[in-house]
Amino acid sequence: MATLVGKKFPDLNVDAMNEMGDTFKLNVLEEAVNNKKKVVLFWYPKDFTFVCPTELHAFQAALPEFEKRNTIVIGASCDTPEVHFAWLNTAKDNGGIEGVTYPILADSNRNLASILGILDITNETYDEATGTVQVEGDNVTYRATYIIDEEGTVVHEGVNHMPLGRNVNEYLRLIDAYTHVQEKGEVCPANWEEGKEAMQANRDGVASYLASN
């Protein structure tokens, strides 16, 4: 799958679940454009697993920081809404995600995950006897993360393998950096953080930056 960076996020309605137990249709592109907000969409492999709840709680703990940055957080997996709700009703000290308040996509038909190309499928074979396509792999998503701007354009995508949990602070840093670019017209060098010097996107700008850093 080719990168989506610089392109519009797919325009697709997907089932989602919230902490109230409501199943509803959610369109990530429309969430960004209609609300004039950035969106962080993070995918994880499965409910009721091991690394996953640590990430969902980490995004929840950082939710006020994302909200300060005019950013919506959305989780996503290929589990059903009912399984999401069961997990939302399982206590944190029992491996659950009770207390998570942002919506979670339930892409159980895998339509969006397939478009994004983030499913763990190592091989596909066509079985002539049954006329079916059979897959190898778990057919669940890798830990893929997307940052989408207010216009619906993907400005960051990243994919971790199953065992590798994300650093939530890095997404806050990336949002800060992109907001700086939007507001100041400067570009952000390596390891840039809010409050640090950025640079002009020209030869003099890089020379000046490197001379003082």
Short mmCIF file of all heavy atoms in Angstrom, two decimals, residues 58-106:
data_model
loop_
_atom_site.label_atom_id
_atom_site.label_comp_id
_atom_site.label_asym_id
_atom_site.label_seq_id
_atom_site.Cartn_x
_atom_site.Cartn_y
_atom_site.Cartn_z
N ALA A 58 -2.91 5.23 27.88
CA ALA A 58 -1.94 6.31 27.69
C ALA A 58 -2.55 7.44 26.86
O ALA A 58 -2.35 8.63 27.16
CB ALA A 58 -0.67 5.78 27.03
N PHE A 59 -3.30 7.08 25.82
CA PHE A 59 -3.97 8.12 25.03
C PHE A 59 -5.04 8.82 25.87
O PHE A 59 -5.23 10.04 25.76
CB PHE A 59 -4.57 7.53 23.75
CG PHE A 59 -3.59 7.44 22.60
CD1 PHE A 59 -3.01 6.22 22.27
CD2 PHE A 59 -3.24 8.56 21.88
CE1 PHE A 59 -2.10 6.12 21.22
CE2 PHE A 59 -2.33 8.48 20.82
CZ PHE A 59 -1.76 7.25 20.50
N GLN A 60 -5.74 8.07 26.71
CA GLN A 60 -6.75 8.68 27.58
C GLN A 60 -6.10 9.66 28.55
O GLN A 60 -6.60 10.77 28.75
CB GLN A 60 -7.49 7.60 28.36
CG GLN A 60 -8.56 8.13 29.30
CD GLN A 60 -9.73 8.79 28.58
OE1 GLN A 60 -10.10 8.36 27.49
NE2 GLN A 60 -10.31 9.82 29.17
N ALA A 61 -4.96 9.28 29.15
CA ALA A 61 -4.28 10.15 30.10
C ALA A 61 -3.82 11.45 29.43
O ALA A 61 -3.79 12.51 30.07
CB ALA A 61 -3.08 9.43 30.71
N ALA A 62 -3.49 11.37 28.14
CA ALA A 62 -3.01 12.55 27.40
C ALA A 62 -4.14 13.32 26.73
O ALA A 62 -3.89 14.34 26.09
CB ALA A 62 -1.99 12.11 26.35
N LEU A 63 -5.39 12.85 26.88
CA LEU A 63 -6.51 13.47 26.17
C LEU A 63 -6.61 14.98 26.41
O LEU A 63 -6.82 15.74 25.45
CB LEU A 63 -7.81 12.77 26.57
CG LEU A 63 -8.98 12.88 25.59
CD1 LEU A 63 -8.61 12.40 24.20
CD2 LEU A 63 -10.17 12.09 26.13
N PRO A 64 -6.43 15.48 27.65
CA PRO A 64 -6.48 16.93 27.85
C PRO A 64 -5.42 17.68 27.02
O PRO A 64 -5.69 18.79 26.53
CB PRO A 64 -6.22 17.10 29.35
CG PRO A 64 -6.64 15.80 29.95
CD PRO A 64 -6.28 14.76 28.94
N GLU A 65 -4.24 17.06 26.84
CA GLU A 65 -3.19 17.70 26.04
C GLU A 65 -3.57 17.72 24.56
O GLU A 65 -3.33 18.72 23.86
CB GLU A 65 -1.86 16.96 26.22
CG GLU A 65 -1.25 17.13 27.61
CD GLU A 65 -0.96 18.59 27.95
OE1 GLU A 65 -0.49 19.33 27.05
OE2 GLU A 65 -1.22 18.99 29.11
N PHE A 66 -4.18 16.66 24.08
CA PHE A 66 -4.65 16.66 22.69
C PHE A 66 -5.77 17.70 22.51
O PHE A 66 -5.80 18.43 21.51
CB PHE A 66 -5.15 15.28 22.28
CG PHE A 66 -4.05 14.29 22.02
CD1 PHE A 66 -3.79 13.25 22.90
CD2 PHE A 66 -3.25 14.40 20.89
CE1 PHE A 66 -2.77 12.34 22.66
CE2 PHE A 66 -2.23 13.50 20.64
CZ PHE A 66 -1.98 12.46 21.53
N GLU A 67 -6.67 17.77 23.49
CA GLU A 67 -7.78 18.72 23.39
C GLU A 67 -7.28 20.16 23.37
O GLU A 67 -7.82 21.01 22.65
CB GLU A 67 -8.77 18.49 24.53
CG GLU A 67 -9.57 17.19 24.35
CD GLU A 67 -10.39 16.80 25.56
OE1 GLU A 67 -10.21 17.42 26.64
OE2 GLU A 67 -11.21 15.84 25.45
N LYS A 68 -6.24 20.45 24.16
CA LYS A 68 -5.62 21.79 24.14
C LYS A 68 -5.10 22.13 22.76
O LYS A 68 -5.02 23.31 22.39
CB LYS A 68 -4.41 21.81 25.10
CG LYS A 68 -4.73 22.09 26.54
CD LYS A 68 -3.41 22.29 27.28
CE LYS A 68 -3.49 21.72 28.67
NZ LYS A 68 -2.15 21.64 29.32
N ARG A 69 -4.74 21.11 22.01
CA ARG A 69 -4.16 21.30 20.68
C ARG A 69 -5.23 21.17 19.59
O ARG A 69 -4.89 20.94 18.42
CB ARG A 69 -3.04 20.29 20.46
CG ARG A 69 -1.80 20.55 21.33
CD ARG A 69 -0.90 19.33 21.43
NE ARG A 69 0.36 19.61 22.10
CZ ARG A 69 0.53 19.69 23.42
NH1 ARG A 69 -0.51 19.52 24.24
NH2 ARG A 69 1.71 19.95 23.94
N ASN A 70 -6.50 21.27 19.97
CA ASN A 70 -7.59 21.21 19.00
C ASN A 70 -7.57 19.90 18.21
O ASN A 70 -7.77 19.87 17.00
CB ASN A 70 -7.51 22.42 18.04
CG ASN A 70 -8.83 22.67 17.33
OD1 ASN A 70 -9.89 22.57 17.92
ND2 ASN A 70 -8.76 23.01 16.05
N THR A 71 -7.31 18.80 18.93
CA THR A 71 -7.12 17.51 18.29
C THR A 71 -8.06 16.46 18.89
O THR A 71 -8.19 16.36 20.11
CB THR A 71 -5.66 17.04 18.45
OG1 THR A 71 -4.80 17.99 17.82
CG2 THR A 71 -5.43 15.67 17.82
N ILE A 72 -8.71 15.71 18.01
CA ILE A 72 -9.60 14.61 18.38
C ILE A 72 -8.79 13.31 18.39
O ILE A 72 -8.00 13.07 17.47
CB ILE A 72 -10.76 14.50 17.37
CG1 ILE A 72 -11.60 15.78 17.36
CG2 ILE A 72 -11.62 13.27 17.64
CD1 ILE A 72 -12.55 15.88 16.17
N VAL A 73 -9.01 12.47 19.39
CA VAL A 73 -8.38 11.15 19.45
C VAL A 73 -9.43 10.09 19.14
O VAL A 73 -10.53 10.11 19.69
CB VAL A 73 -7.76 10.89 20.83
CG1 VAL A 73 -7.26 9.44 20.95
CG2 VAL A 73 -6.61 11.86 21.11
N ILE A 74 -9.08 9.16 18.25
CA ILE A 74 -9.95 8.04 17.90
C ILE A 74 -9.11 6.77 17.91
O ILE A 74 -8.06 6.70 17.26
CB ILE A 74 -10.58 8.23 16.50
CG1 ILE A 74 -11.40 9.53 16.44
CG2 ILE A 74 -11.45 7.03 16.13
CD1 ILE A 74 -11.88 9.91 15.04
N GLY A 75 -9.58 5.76 18.64
CA GLY A 75 -8.94 4.44 18.60
C GLY A 75 -9.61 3.59 17.53
O GLY A 75 -10.68 3.93 17.02
N ALA A 76 -8.99 2.46 17.20
CA ALA A 76 -9.58 1.60 16.16
C ALA A 76 -8.99 0.20 16.21
O ALA A 76 -7.79 0.02 16.41
CB ALA A 76 -9.34 2.19 14.77
N SER A 77 -9.87 -0.79 16.00
CA SER A 77 -9.43 -2.17 15.75
C SER A 77 -10.51 -2.85 14.92
O SER A 77 -11.52 -2.24 14.56
CB SER A 77 -9.18 -2.92 17.06
OG SER A 77 -10.40 -3.40 17.60
N CYS A 78 -10.30 -4.13 14.64
CA CYS A 78 -11.28 -4.88 13.85
C CYS A 78 -12.25 -5.67 14.72
O CYS A 78 -13.00 -6.50 14.21
CB CYS A 78 -10.56 -5.82 12.88
SG CYS A 78 -9.55 -4.94 11.66
N ASP A 79 -12.23 -5.41 16.03
CA ASP A 79 -13.22 -6.05 16.91
C ASP A 79 -14.60 -5.46 16.65
O ASP A 79 -14.74 -4.37 16.08
CB ASP A 79 -12.83 -5.81 18.37
CG ASP A 79 -11.53 -6.50 18.74
OD1 ASP A 79 -11.55 -7.71 18.98
OD2 ASP A 79 -10.49 -5.82 18.77
N THR A 80 -15.63 -6.17 17.12
CA THR A 80 -17.00 -5.68 16.97
C THR A 80 -17.31 -4.63 18.03
O THR A 80 -16.63 -4.55 19.06
CB THR A 80 -18.01 -6.83 17.11
OG1 THR A 80 -17.91 -7.34 18.46
CG2 THR A 80 -17.74 -7.93 16.11
N PRO A 81 -18.35 -3.81 17.81
CA PRO A 81 -18.75 -2.85 18.85
C PRO A 81 -19.06 -3.52 20.18
O PRO A 81 -18.74 -2.98 21.24
CB PRO A 81 -20.01 -2.19 18.25
CG PRO A 81 -19.89 -2.37 16.78
CD PRO A 81 -19.18 -3.68 16.59
N GLU A 82 -19.65 -4.72 20.12
CA GLU A 82 -20.02 -5.41 21.36
C GLU A 82 -18.79 -5.80 22.17
O GLU A 82 -18.78 -5.71 23.41
CB GLU A 82 -20.85 -6.66 21.02
CG GLU A 82 -22.22 -6.36 20.44
CD GLU A 82 -22.19 -5.99 18.95
OE1 GLU A 82 -21.13 -6.17 18.29
OE2 GLU A 82 -23.22 -5.50 18.44
N VAL A 83 -17.75 -6.23 21.48
CA VAL A 83 -16.51 -6.58 22.18
C VAL A 83 -15.86 -5.32 22.76
O VAL A 83 -15.36 -5.32 23.90
CB VAL A 83 -15.54 -7.34 21.24
CG1 VAL A 83 -14.19 -7.57 21.93
CG2 VAL A 83 -16.14 -8.66 20.83
N HIS A 84 -15.86 -4.23 21.99
CA HIS A 84 -15.37 -2.95 22.54
C HIS A 84 -16.10 -2.59 23.83
O HIS A 84 -15.48 -2.18 24.82
CB HIS A 84 -15.61 -1.81 21.53
CG HIS A 84 -14.66 -1.76 20.39
ND1 HIS A 84 -13.44 -2.41 20.37
CD2 HIS A 84 -14.74 -1.10 19.21
CE1 HIS A 84 -12.82 -2.15 19.22
NE2 HIS A 84 -13.60 -1.35 18.50
N PHE A 85 -17.42 -2.74 23.81
CA PHE A 85 -18.20 -2.33 24.99
C PHE A 85 -17.88 -3.23 26.18
O PHE A 85 -17.80 -2.75 27.32
CB PHE A 85 -19.70 -2.35 24.67
CG PHE A 85 -20.54 -1.72 25.74
CD1 PHE A 85 -20.25 -0.44 26.21
CD2 PHE A 85 -21.62 -2.39 26.30
CE1 PHE A 85 -21.01 0.15 27.20
CE2 PHE A 85 -22.39 -1.79 27.29
CZ PHE A 85 -22.08 -0.52 27.75
N ALA A 86 -17.69 -4.51 25.92
CA ALA A 86 -17.31 -5.42 27.01
C ALA A 86 -15.96 -5.01 27.60
O ALA A 86 -15.77 -5.03 28.83
CB ALA A 86 -17.25 -6.85 26.49
N TRP A 87 -15.04 -4.61 26.74
CA TRP A 87 -13.70 -4.20 27.21
C TRP A 87 -13.79 -2.87 27.97
O TRP A 87 -13.12 -2.69 28.98
CB TRP A 87 -12.77 -4.09 26.01
CG TRP A 87 -11.31 -4.25 26.33
CD1 TRP A 87 -10.76 -4.90 27.38
CD2 TRP A 87 -10.22 -3.74 25.56
NE1 TRP A 87 -9.39 -4.85 27.32
CE2 TRP A 87 -9.04 -4.13 26.20
CE3 TRP A 87 -10.14 -3.00 24.39
CZ2 TRP A 87 -7.77 -3.81 25.71
CZ3 TRP A 87 -8.88 -2.68 23.89
CH2 TRP A 87 -7.71 -3.08 24.55
N LEU A 88 -14.65 -1.97 27.48
CA LEU A 88 -14.86 -0.69 28.16
C LEU A 88 -15.47 -0.89 29.55
O LEU A 88 -15.34 -0.03 30.42
CB LEU A 88 -15.76 0.22 27.32
CG LEU A 88 -15.11 0.92 26.13
CD1 LEU A 88 -16.16 1.38 25.13
CD2 LEU A 88 -14.28 2.11 26.60
N ASN A 89 -16.12 -2.01 29.75
CA ASN A 89 -16.74 -2.31 31.04
C ASN A 89 -15.89 -3.23 31.91
O ASN A 89 -16.36 -3.74 32.92
CB ASN A 89 -18.13 -2.93 30.83
CG ASN A 89 -19.17 -1.86 30.56
OD1 ASN A 89 -19.52 -1.09 31.44
ND2 ASN A 89 -19.64 -1.79 29.32
N THR A 90 -14.64 -3.43 31.49
CA THR A 90 -13.71 -4.25 32.27
C THR A 90 -12.72 -3.32 32.97
O THR A 90 -12.15 -2.43 32.34
CB THR A 90 -12.95 -5.23 31.35
OG1 THR A 90 -13.90 -6.05 30.66
CG2 THR A 90 -12.00 -6.11 32.15
N ALA A 91 -12.57 -3.52 34.27
CA ALA A 91 -11.72 -2.64 35.08
C ALA A 91 -10.27 -2.65 34.60
O ALA A 91 -9.78 -3.68 34.10
CB ALA A 91 -11.78 -3.05 36.55
N LYS A 92 -9.61 -1.52 34.79
CA LYS A 92 -8.20 -1.38 34.40
C LYS A 92 -7.34 -2.43 35.08
O LYS A 92 -6.47 -3.05 34.44
CB LYS A 92 -7.71 0.03 34.75
CG LYS A 92 -6.28 0.31 34.33
CD LYS A 92 -5.90 1.75 34.66
CE LYS A 92 -4.48 2.08 34.24
NZ LYS A 92 -4.11 3.46 34.60
N ASP A 93 -7.59 -2.69 36.36
CA ASP A 93 -6.74 -3.65 37.08
C ASP A 93 -7.06 -5.10 36.72
O ASP A 93 -6.44 -6.03 37.24
CB ASP A 93 -6.80 -3.43 38.60
CG ASP A 93 -8.20 -3.62 39.18
OD1 ASP A 93 -9.09 -4.07 38.43
OD2 ASP A 93 -8.39 -3.32 40.37
N ASN A 94 -8.00 -5.26 35.79
CA ASN A 94 -8.30 -6.60 35.26
C ASN A 94 -8.00 -6.67 33.76
O ASN A 94 -8.53 -7.53 33.06
CB ASN A 94 -9.77 -6.96 35.54
CG ASN A 94 -10.03 -8.45 35.45
OD1 ASN A 94 -9.15 -9.26 35.68
ND2 ASN A 94 -11.25 -8.81 35.08
N GLY A 95 -7.17 -5.72 33.29
CA GLY A 95 -6.78 -5.71 31.88
C GLY A 95 -7.74 -4.99 30.96
O GLY A 95 -7.60 -5.07 29.74
N GLY A 96 -8.71 -4.28 31.55
CA GLY A 96 -9.71 -3.60 30.73
C GLY A 96 -9.38 -2.15 30.46
O GLY A 96 -8.34 -1.63 30.86
N ILE A 97 -10.31 -1.47 29.77
CA ILE A 97 -10.11 -0.06 29.40
C ILE A 97 -11.21 0.83 29.99
O ILE A 97 -11.54 1.87 29.42
CB ILE A 97 -10.01 0.12 27.88
CG1 ILE A 97 -11.27 -0.41 27.17
CG2 ILE A 97 -8.75 -0.55 27.34
CD1 ILE A 97 -11.40 0.06 25.72
N GLU A 98 -11.76 0.42 31.12
CA GLU A 98 -12.75 1.25 31.79
C GLU A 98 -12.16 2.63 32.02
O GLU A 98 -11.02 2.76 32.46
CB GLU A 98 -13.13 0.63 33.14
CG GLU A 98 -14.32 1.31 33.80
CD GLU A 98 -14.73 0.57 35.08
OE1 GLU A 98 -13.85 0.01 35.76
OE2 GLU A 98 -15.93 0.55 35.37
N GLY A 99 -12.94 3.67 31.70
CA GLY A 99 -12.45 5.04 31.86
C GLY A 99 -12.03 5.70 30.56
O GLY A 99 -11.83 6.91 30.52
N VAL A 100 -11.92 4.93 29.49
CA VAL A 100 -11.60 5.51 28.18
C VAL A 100 -12.86 6.18 27.62
O VAL A 100 -13.93 5.58 27.60
CB VAL A 100 -11.08 4.42 27.21
CG1 VAL A 100 -11.08 4.92 25.77
CG2 VAL A 100 -9.68 3.97 27.62
N THR A 101 -12.72 7.43 27.19
CA THR A 101 -13.90 8.21 26.78
C THR A 101 -13.93 8.57 25.30
O THR A 101 -14.95 9.05 24.80
CB THR A 101 -13.99 9.52 27.59
OG1 THR A 101 -12.79 10.28 27.37
CG2 THR A 101 -14.14 9.23 29.08
N TYR A 102 -12.82 8.39 24.59
CA TYR A 102 -12.84 8.72 23.15
C TYR A 102 -13.47 7.56 22.38
O TYR A 102 -13.49 6.41 22.85
CB TYR A 102 -11.43 9.04 22.64
CG TYR A 102 -10.37 8.03 23.02
CD1 TYR A 102 -10.22 6.84 22.30
CD2 TYR A 102 -9.52 8.25 24.10
CE1 TYR A 102 -9.28 5.90 22.65
CE2 TYR A 102 -8.56 7.32 24.46
CZ TYR A 102 -8.44 6.15 23.73
OH TYR A 102 -7.50 5.21 24.08
N PRO A 103 -13.97 7.81 21.17
CA PRO A 103 -14.62 6.75 20.40
C PRO A 103 -13.60 5.73 19.88
O PRO A 103 -12.43 6.05 19.66
CB PRO A 103 -15.29 7.49 19.25
CG PRO A 103 -14.54 8.77 19.11
CD PRO A 103 -14.06 9.12 20.49
N ILE A 104 -14.07 4.51 19.69
CA ILE A 104 -13.23 3.43 19.15
C ILE A 104 -13.92 2.84 17.93
O ILE A 104 -15.05 2.35 18.02
CB ILE A 104 -12.98 2.34 20.20
CG1 ILE A 104 -12.41 2.94 21.49
CG2 ILE A 104 -12.01 1.29 19.65
CD1 ILE A 104 -12.28 1.94 22.64
N LEU A 105 -13.24 2.89 16.79
CA LEU A 105 -13.80 2.30 15.58
C LEU A 105 -13.87 0.79 15.73
O LEU A 105 -12.98 0.16 16.32
CB LEU A 105 -12.93 2.62 14.36
CG LEU A 105 -12.78 4.08 13.93
CD1 LEU A 105 -11.98 4.15 12.63
CD2 LEU A 105 -14.12 4.76 13.76
N ALA A 106 -14.95 0.21 15.19
CA ALA A 106 -15.13 -1.24 15.16
C ALA A 106 -15.19 -1.66 13.69
O ALA A 106 -16.27 -1.87 13.13
CB ALA A 106 -16.41 -1.63 15.91
#
